[in-house]
Amino acid sequence: MTALPVPADLAHLVAASWVLDGGAVPRGLPQPAVDLLVMPDGECRLAGPETRVRQGTLPEGGALIGVRLRPGTVTGLFGVAADEVPLAGTPLEAGPLDGPVGKRLAGALALVRARAGRCQVDERVRAVVAAMHASPGTPVHRHAARARLSERQLRRRFGAAVGLRPKAYVRVVRLHHALAAARAAVARGERPDWAAIAVRSGCYDQSHLLAEFRHAVGAPPAALLPDVRFLQAPPGRGQHTRGHE
């Protein structure tokens, strides 16, 4: 996957843009966000948020382009609730965006830009999303209380805005938090302290963290690091499978 720059005027609506060209879907973390996709034939689609990594091969015929929308923006931009966008994707009523990668990406960003002025978001949900990223170990009921919502109200509004239940969303956030911490340790030339990373990321312990990665990714977190020769979890440790759901 090649990351592409996001225009500054769309940074409040677009989290990332990327291009994939041929072959199998690369290993990575699930992305709990709605993507605006431009298929190789120019068709535009919306694809729902992930709780597990996608598997399989990419469409044939050229590069796949993605514009990752920030949580809570798809309804304001395209008039559809996030929990109505299927994981497999749904066609978007827009003309085909043909041409080379740069032209197709520019066309996708233009679709977002044309709707940006009238895009409204649920501010309470947006605040909860930000809090989840800042403190992934905080229980969902506390996020609801701080947003002055009941858990049921938060679940309903969060699902419509983000496409996932709050607990499902924060589980994926914990994976990203943990992997970022491990990559930072490797960049410093250190061996990641998985036990400490697990607790800081909101998991009970190291075994819980490994179980969450195997559930969502199908591999331990060390498999996603640049050099895994000395970073594997010690053998023979039991997998703690209790989750937060």
Side-chain angles (χ1 to χ4, degrees), residues 42-123:
E43 179 193 41
C44 294
R45 301 179 68 86
L46 291 174
E50 303 168 336
T51 57
R52 295 187 182 185
V53 294
R54 297 175 188 263
Q55 308 232 345
T57 58
L58 295 168
E60 297 181 355
L64 176 67
I65 294 169
V67 172
R68 182 151 298 134
L69 304 178
R70 292 198 179 277
T73 61
V74 67
T75 303
L77 289 171
F78 297 105
V80 58
D83 54 7
E84 295 178 356
V85 180
L87 181 63
T90 185
L92 185 65
E93 291 185 5
L97 301 178
D98 300 320
V101 167
K103 183 178 179 181
R104 286 192 285 146
L105 174 61
L109 293 172
L111 290 177
V112 176
R113 186 175 285 111
R115 296 163 170 80
R118 62 176 184 268
C119 180
Q120 296 182 342
V121 300
D122 187 325
E123 293 295 342

Side-chain angles (χ1 to χ4, degrees), residues 128 140 144 149-159 166:
V128 169
V140 169
L149 297 169
S150 69
E151 286 191 71
R152 183 176 180 181
Q153 289 173 323
L154 177 61
R155 187 164 54 247
R156 176 179 57 81
R157 290 170 64 160
F158 200 96

Side-chain angles (χ1 to χ4, degrees), residues 72-223:
T73 61
V74 67
T75 303
L77 289 171
F78 297 105
V80 58
D83 54 7
E84 295 178 356
V85 180
L87 181 63
T90 185
L92 185 65
E93 291 185 5
L97 301 178
D98 300 320
V101 167
K103 183 178 179 181
R104 286 192 285 146
L105 174 61
L109 293 172
L111 290 177
V112 176
R113 186 175 285 111
R115 296 163 170 80
R118 62 176 184 268
C119 180
Q120 296 182 342
V121 300
D122 187 325
E123 293 295 342
R124 292 193 190 184
V125 170
R126 181 158 67 177
V128 169
V129 167
M132 286 176 168
H133 283 270
S135 180
T138 299
V140 169
H141 70 85
R142 292 187 185 174
H143 289 302
R146 290 169 184 169
R148 302 186 304 281
L149 297 169
S150 69
E151 286 191 71
R152 183 176 180 181
Q153 289 173 323
L154 177 61
R155 187 164 54 247
R156 176 179 57 81
R157 290 170 64 160
F158 200 96
V162 178
L164 297 172
R165 289 193 171 200
K167 289 184 179 180
Y169 183 85
V170 80
R171 284 180 74 177
V172 182
V173 169
R174 290 182 187 123
L175 303 181
H176 286 264
H177 192 280
L179 189 62
R183 285 175 170 164
V186 172
R188 296 191 300 268
E190 302 172 1
R191 177 175 178 171
D193 183 345
W194 292 113
I197 288 173
V199 173
R200 292 200 304 268
S201 300
C203 293
Y204 300 124
D205 54 25
Q206 180 177 342
S207 295
H208 180 205
L209 176 67
L210 295 177
E212 291 288 278
F213 265 89
R214 286 199 165 91
H215 171 78
V217 183

